[in-house]
Amino acid sequence: MKIALMDSGIGLLAATAAVRRLRPDADLVLSLDPEGMPWGPRTPEDLTARAVAVAEAAAARRPDALIVGCNTATVHALPALRARLEPEIPVIGTVPAIKPAAAGGGPVAIWATPATTGSPYQRNLIRDFADGVPVAEVPCWGLAEAVEQADETAIDAAVAAAAALTPEDVTTVVLGCTHYELVAERIRAAVQRPGRPPLVLHGSAGAVAAQALRRVGAGLHPESEALGTVTVLLSGQEGTLPAPALAYAEGRLLQEVSPAR
């Protein structure tokens, strides 16, 4: 079995690690766009064109499924990717985990990029899935970029700034950008209020990984022997994980890079 994942940068690491943990025997193909990153500031048309190119590079390796490991690319490019690749290759997008977060009763904060915060896309998700639970939208200026570069000082500053914008009574935080899952514990520490119940964080990586395996009819076998290979494609050319990836546990899990079978 082979699962491909795509993003402009290392935001796909959280979902990649989740697949790796659920199926250590699966081969992985990671398709990145270092020449075009970041995708966030691009027009929807430009972003979609780049996402399609990255997806086609992954599709050439004949994966059984493709995970779009980026919230922004899911918003703008998912219909085009599915039109291009399905039904031969199922395409699984990444959506903020608003529904399970709201099920806890809230109040909820959604940490997302400034471009996503307040967008019709996110507002529609809140309307459809928050079920009346109070939701605060928190723009995280510079956090995805800092995580991408593994810039410790910038990460701390961006997390602190977003925490200052998060209401005091929040019980649950939705990580609305895949990069944020790589620094989840820093976010937890920054938002947790003294004397309050333990903060609940909701990312998307685990659910996305499980959905991809369901789409290909594969079971969850975390006890499998870790024989799966990892192939990294950088703007379509085989390469290695970007150095900042190794600053995170998810990246170190994938450090042994070899050609896919």
Side-chain angles (χ1 to χ4, degrees), residues 153-165:
T153 301
I155 291 170
D156 287 344
V159 168
L165 298 175

Side-chain angles (χ1 to χ4, degrees), residues 3-10 12 16 28-34 39 50-61 66-69 230-237 241:
I3 304 294
L5 300 96
M6 58 168 282
D7 189 9
S8 63
I10 64 173
L12 52 63
T16 305
L28 302 174
V29 177
L30 314 186
S31 190
L32 286 69
D33 184 27
W39 282 347
R50 300 204 73 90
V52 167
V54 168
E56 288 182 336
R61 301 301 176 113
L66 172 68
I67 292 172
V68 184
V230 180
T231 298
V232 178
L233 303 176
L234 304 176
S235 300
Q237 302 299 311
L241 282 172

Side-chain angles (χ1 to χ4, degrees), residues 84-167:
R84 187 70 60 97
L85 300 179
E86 291 188 342
E88 289 80 8
I89 302 174
V91 180
I92 296 89
T94 300
V95 177
I98 295 173
K99 186 174 183 179
V108 173
I110 303 175
W111 282 35
T113 63
T116 299
T117 300
S119 66
Y121 164 76
Q122 185 160 288
R123 291 281 168 84
N124 288 338
L125 290 176
I126 293 169
R127 182 198 64 213
D128 294 342
F129 298 117
D131 198 26
V133 170
V135 176
E137 297 181 88
V138 178
C140 301
W141 297 94
L143 182 53
E145 294 82 356
V147 172
E148 180 69 34
Q149 299 301 323
D151 184 330
E152 300 288 331
T153 301
I155 291 170
D156 287 344
V159 168
L165 298 175
T166 303

